[in-house]
Amino acid sequence: MENKKRAQWGSNFGFIMAAAGSAVGLGNLWKFPYLAGKNGGGVFVFVYLLIVLLIGFTIMLGEMVIGRSTQLSSYNAYQKISKNWSFIGAMGVITGFIVLSFYSVVGGWVLNYLYQYIAGGIPSDTSAYFVSFISNPISPIFWNMVFMAATAYIVFKGIGGGIEKACKFMMPALFVLLIVISIRAITLPGAGAGIAFYLTPDLSKLTTGTIVAALGQVFFSLSLGLGCIITYGSYLGKGENLEKNSIIVPFIDTLVALLAGFAILPAVFAFGFEPGAGPGLMFITLPQVFDKMPLGWVFGILFFILVLFAALTSSISLLEVTVAYMQDQHKWRRTKAVIVLSTLMFLVGIPASLSMGIWSNVTIFGKNIFDSLVFASDILLPLGGLLMCIFIGYVWGIDKAVAEITIGGKLPFRLKGFWTVMIKYVAPIAVIVVFLNALGILKL
Ligand code: PFF
């Protein structure tokens, strides 16, 4: 049926919950607080906000326009506008595949932590527990399978009855849980030092490393650069206001990232832990914080439910990118696409998971399999965003894009001029500079 008439969101609110659901994920709750903790706290937050405002919004609007204009998922959308540029869409589908392969491994860890909290808690040596769990050859793979199955089930149910419905429930629930946990963290005795660390930008701590980390994080966190928002945008009706949507979605995502920092960093300070603990912050440090808190196990359960919801609303968007491609391009039925793709991604996730343990000595360019997948996505997302800017700015043309945007609403505040400059010059140049710097070609 969907092959005949394209599915649509039930309402604009449904689209916003789905797109914000895609954006709000492990990137906000797991990565953002530890990146802020590692990169000087307030100064990272400041640079991050600046990049969201300038580049995040620009690319978000760009992706929405391409999707809504063509009513096609990423690959076919580029192809419809200009045949030679469909490779950007193809790259996006591959990137979506790569990201979900490792994302669902971490989603599985979250499920396991939730299960452990419900079953009574995490052993007090949280570091030893984490290491022994992720290096186990069976249990993380089992949880990865459960996580992928849940993702597949929602996507199998379709746009309105699956993705939209799930996000309309999970996103508000997530928000309420996050507020409750943030209030608990901020009101802990000794939390002030964490709040100060988080909110005071000490510009002397600004390094190029901070800027590179923030840029990569903006792409990942806003789900940009692989055509996810193109795909979600393709289910939007012509009457919806794209420009408003492209402000609201990054706003919600950023709010949640900021709140996640409030939920985590003050508590880490209050109990005298190290904020720069890196990826272990959520799985090692935070369980220790819960251990010390009155009713900590309740907060442990609430917190991991929250993270699970966030992770699921993102993983479904990643799966949808690849499923929609199979439907649009190869005319596969949704059921077949969901089963085949989620199984393949799960299979790629197995070596990624094993690379935390028995396969840790298998390396690609010096990185283990899991880190190689993450690294590939760190490059592919900004590259996809860069190519999209070039595509809109110089191939499709700003005027056609703006004509599409204005169908559902006017462009106020001279937004057209701003967006044109951003998409043609500022965003591409910023991404190129950061790339060259990261490759060591340009020293900032
Ligand atoms: N934005 C998600 C997060 O922050 O966890 C991850 C993600 C989802 C990245 C979808 C890219 C994407 F297309």
Side-chain angles (χ1 to χ4, degrees):
M1 179 202 127
E2 276 182 3
N3 279 343
K4 278 188 232 120
K5 191 176 177 312
R6 193 170 187 78
Q8 273 204 357
W9 304 108
S11 64
N12 194 51
F13 175 73
F15 165 76
I16 289 180
M17 288 298 103
S22 169
V24 171
L26 294 167
N28 305 58
L29 300 166
W30 172 52
K31 269 181 119 182
F32 185 84
Y34 88 66
L35 285 176
K38 258 174 83 168
N39 291 288
V43 70
F44 176 84
V45 176
F46 175 74
V47 174
Y48 181 87
L49 290 179
L50 212 63
I51 300 178
V52 169
L53 271 176
L54 297 179
I55 300 181
F57 154 76
T58 301
I59 297 184
M60 175 77 57
L61 182 54
E63 289 208 10
M64 270 183 210
V65 179
I66 295 178
R68 213 265 309 260
S69 156
T70 55
Q71 301 278 299
L72 287 167
S73 61
S74 176
Y75 175 83
N76 298 76
Y78 280 106
Q79 195 184 43
K80 184 171 173 185
I81 298 174
S82 173
K83 275 220 161 30
N84 293 337
W85 288 78
S86 57
F87 75 93
I88 310 178
M91 215 177 83
V93 174
I94 295 167
T95 312
F97 190 104
I98 292 175
V99 174
L100 188 49
S101 302
F102 73 77
Y103 202 84
S104 71
V105 172
V106 184
W109 299 353
V110 172
L111 263 178
N112 169 68
Y113 269 66
L114 175 59
Y115 173 78
Q116 296 299 333
Y117 269 105
I118 293 173
I122 302 288
S124 53
D125 188 347
T126 58
S127 173
Y129 174 75
F130 180 62
V131 173
S132 85
F133 168 67
I134 62 170
S135 59
N136 183 298
I138 298 177
S139 156
I141 293 176
F142 166 75
W143 288 111
N144 180 9
M145 190 178 74
V146 178
F147 183 83
M148 191 63 101
T151 303
Y153 179 73
I154 301 172
V155 176
F156 155 75
K157 294 293 239 173
I159 299 304
I163 297 176
E164 182 171 356
K165 202 165 150 195
C167 292
K168 267 161 79 176
F169 164 70
M170 286 196 262
M171 287 306 288
L174 171 162
F175 203 70
V176 172
L177 289 174
L178 190 55
I179 301 271
V180 171
I181 296 173
S182 302
I183 293 176
R184 170 67 281 206
I186 296 170
T187 51
L188 284 167
I195 299 172
F197 169 77
Y198 189 48
L199 290 187
T200 324
D202 176 357
L203 287 181
S204 69
K205 287 196 189 138
L206 183 65
T207 61
T208 48
T210 312
I211 302 172
V212 174
L215 184 89
Q217 175 63 9
V218 167
F219 275 94
F220 188 80
S221 188
L222 291 178
S223 303
L224 297 176
L226 62 78
C228 183
I229 304 296
I230 297 184
T231 305
Y232 272 16
S234 76
Y235 304 120
L236 265 176
K238 293 286 181 191
E240 312 301 353
N241 186 326
L242 294 186
E243 171 259 319
K244 239 194 222 152
N245 286 349
S246 65
I247 293 175
I248 295 174
V249 174
F251 177 79
I252 297 177
D253 185 69
T254 308
L255 189 66
V256 172
L258 291 175
L259 278 172
F262 274 119
I264 294 174
L265 291 172
V268 168
F269 272 82
F271 292 109
F273 293 108
E274 177 44 48
L281 191 63
M282 189 165 100
F283 295 105
I284 298 172
T285 313
L286 210 55
Q288 290 179 28
V289 170
F290 292 141
D291 202 35
K292 292 215 158 74
M293 240 185 211
L295 284 182
W297 63 275
V298 177
F299 284 97
I301 294 177
L302 293 181
F303 181 78
F304 282 102
I305 292 181
L306 153 81
V307 182
L308 177 65
F309 282 0
L312 271 175
T313 53
S314 298
S315 61
I316 55 182
S317 71
L318 286 160
L319 184 56
E320 179 61 27
V321 170
T322 58
V323 165
Y325 163 73
M326 283 302 182
Q327 283 187 300
D328 287 346
Q329 175 67 11
H330 299 291
K331 305 291 171 235
W332 278 23
R333 295 191 38 196
R334 176 167 286 270
T335 320
K336 177 177 167 192
V338 167
I339 293 174
V340 171
L341 289 164
S342 61
T343 306
L344 286 175
M345 290 181 207
F346 165 68
L347 292 176
V348 175
I350 293 177
S353 181
L354 292 179
S355 72
M356 302 285 165
I358 53 173
W359 282 9
S360 57
N361 53 351
V362 181
T363 55
I364 307 167
F365 297 120
K367 292 185 190 312
N368 72 22
I369 300 170
F370 183 93
D371 290 342
S372 302
L373 294 174
V374 174
F375 178 70
S377 74
D378 283 348
I379 305 237
L380 288 168
L381 295 185
L383 185 62
L386 166 67
L387 290 169
M388 191 220 67
C389 290
I390 295 172
F391 178 79
I392 293 188
Y394 302 94
V395 180
W396 191 26
I398 295 284
D399 288 343
K400 293 205 190 92
V402 168
E404 175 69 29
I405 298 170
T406 17
I407 296 175
K410 292 224 157 43
L411 273 173
F413 316 117
R414 301 229 189 102
L415 210 57
K416 181 183 167 190
F418 173 77
W419 192 61
T420 309
V421 172
M422 294 317 283
I423 213 154
K424 281 183 97 157
Y425 309 107
V426 179
I429 292 173
V431 177
I432 290 172
V433 168
V434 169
F435 263 139
L436 294 181
N437 176 65
L439 293 173
I441 296 169
L442 182 85
K443 275 272 152 273
L444 287 177

